[in-house]
Amino acid sequence: MEAVSEQKPRSRRKRMTGKERREQLLGIGRELFAERGFDGASVEEIAARAGVSKPVVYEHFGGKEGVYAVVVDREMQKLLGMVAEGLTGDHPRVKLEQAALALLRYVEESSDGFRILARDSHAASGTGSFASLISDIATQVEHVLGEEFRARGYDPKLAPMYAQSLVGMVALTGQWWLEVRKPKREVVAAHLVNLAWNGLSNLDGKPRLESAQKRRSKD
């Protein structure tokens, strides 16, 4: 008598929770916005990549604009947080070094996010443009420059203008470095701070990050 083979029940795909589905849609939207920008992405493709129908996207975000707004806001908060965390050195130059490194680290570790922010932000973001992001970061750098200006007898009222110049320089260099990735992050930061701190008339031939040298001396 032939043995009857037992058939195992077909495993069912685990149904995502609302939170899990939302995060999945945000991840897919982030990829598409980085690849094609806001106008090049569509609700249809977001839904297709997620394996759901379009109404699911509308249910969670109200449309493509809602996905984009959350993605941009998260990236801006992440970058601002990294820069703010970097401004913790005990010397103005070290603070500038850490801020430059933080922005370049964001470019390196969150390339898709930086591509989204560096594009001309769509009005749907609700959080402003790349220029406004630079302005937000510059605001955090102002007090560092203001302290240094007062110590050197410069007008501290000029600190906001210099902060915009410095952060803009780092951000635009970050856009260039995003594609070339050479030289290394620390080398790029060292040269940026070299230009910002010493000026063209007093550049170091082989700049080094002072914060990195201090760490090595302690080890």
Side-chain angles (χ1 to χ4, degrees):
M1 189 174 182
E2 293 184 5
V4 179
S5 60
E6 294 184 3
Q7 291 186 349
K8 295 181 179 179
R10 185 177 298 174
S11 61
R12 294 181 179 179
R13 181 183 299 175
K14 182 182 176 182
R15 185 182 181 88
M16 285 188 178
T17 65
K19 183 177 180 181
E20 289 171 338
R21 179 66 72 190
R22 180 181 173 85
E23 291 303 317
Q24 180 203 30
L25 295 172
L26 286 171
I28 292 169
R30 184 176 183 271
E31 291 176 1
L32 283 172
F33 296 136
E35 290 172 12
R36 305 174 189 175
F38 177 83
D39 293 328
S42 67
V43 170
E44 288 82 359
E45 189 163 7
I46 293 173
R49 288 196 185 186
V52 299
S53 60
K54 289 197 298 181
V56 174
V57 181
Y58 288 111
E59 178 185 345
H60 283 277
F61 298 100
K64 181 176 68 171
E65 293 82 3
V67 181
Y68 184 77
V70 176
V71 168
V72 170
D73 183 66
R74 283 187 174 186
E75 294 302 326
M76 291 183 75
Q77 294 307 315
K78 181 178 180 180
L79 176 52
L80 286 169
M82 291 173 69
V83 172
E85 185 180 347
L87 292 171
T88 56
D90 56 358
H91 186 276
R93 173 165 178 158
V94 173
K95 289 181 180 180
L96 292 178
E97 289 179 358
Q98 296 303 320
L101 278 172
L103 197 150
L104 292 172
R105 181 163 63 89
Y106 173 79
V107 172
E108 189 171 50
E109 297 176 359
S110 301
S111 298
D112 281 353
F114 187 74
R115 285 189 175 93
I116 294 169
L117 295 181
R119 294 177 187 271
D120 291 332
S121 294
H122 193 274
S125 70
T127 50
S129 63
F130 188 53
S132 68
L133 174 64
I134 291 175
S135 182
D136 288 343
I137 297 174
T139 299
Q140 300 188 41
V141 176
E142 280 179 23
H143 72 278
V144 177
L145 294 181
E147 293 172 4
E148 187 66 15
F149 276 26
R150 276 188 287 271
R152 293 173 179 261
Y154 302 148
D155 185 356
K157 293 180 181 179
L158 295 175
M161 179 181 70
Y162 278 86
Q164 292 283 342
S165 301
L166 286 172
V167 175
M169 177 178 70
V170 177
L172 289 174
T173 302
Q175 285 184 282
W176 163 80
W177 186 70
L178 174 66
E179 305 303 333
V180 299
R181 299 299 177 94
K182 292 180 181 179
K184 291 182 178 181
R185 178 175 70 205
E186 291 77 11
V187 175
V188 176
H191 282 276
L192 282 168
V193 176
N194 184 30
L195 175 59
W197 194 260
N198 296 317
L200 286 172
S201 63
N202 195 31
L203 286 177
D204 287 338
K206 295 181 179 180
R208 298 283 191 278
L209 294 177
E210 290 189 2
S211 52
Q213 291 176 328
K214 289 180 179 179
R215 282 197 300 271
R216 282 196 295 269
S217 64
K218 291 180 180 178
D219 294 338

